[in-house]
Amino acid sequence: MDAVPTLVLHGADGPLVKPSAGRAVAARVPGARFVELPGVGHDLPEAVWQDVARRVRRHADG
């Protein structure tokens, strides 16, 4: 399987799905990058919007 640019963003404080699940997803996708977002749970609070947008933009730009 060829590597596909993949960015896995996961909240560090997720009450439903633990960060280890995000790490496991990233580990199974060749070339994936895992980023744990501190202070983020199962939602995406406004405080991290700019950080997430910057990471996604950087990832999309390759």
Side-chain angles (χ1 to χ4, degrees):
M1 178 182 224
D2 292 334
V4 176
T6 303
L7 176 63
V8 178
L9 300 173
H10 201 287
D13 302 327
L16 300 176
V17 182
K18 302 298 179 201
S20 59
R23 280 190 216 88
V25 168
R28 287 172 175 76
V29 178
R33 193 165 70 93
F34 175 77
V35 176
E36 189 170 312
L37 301 169
V40 175
H42 194 66
D43 60 345
L44 193 60
E46 187 174 351
V48 299
W49 290 357
Q50 286 186 345
D51 180 42
V52 168
R54 182 176 37 82
R55 290 175 187 275
V56 170
R57 176 80 265 168
R58 195 177 324 145
H59 179 75
D61 288 345

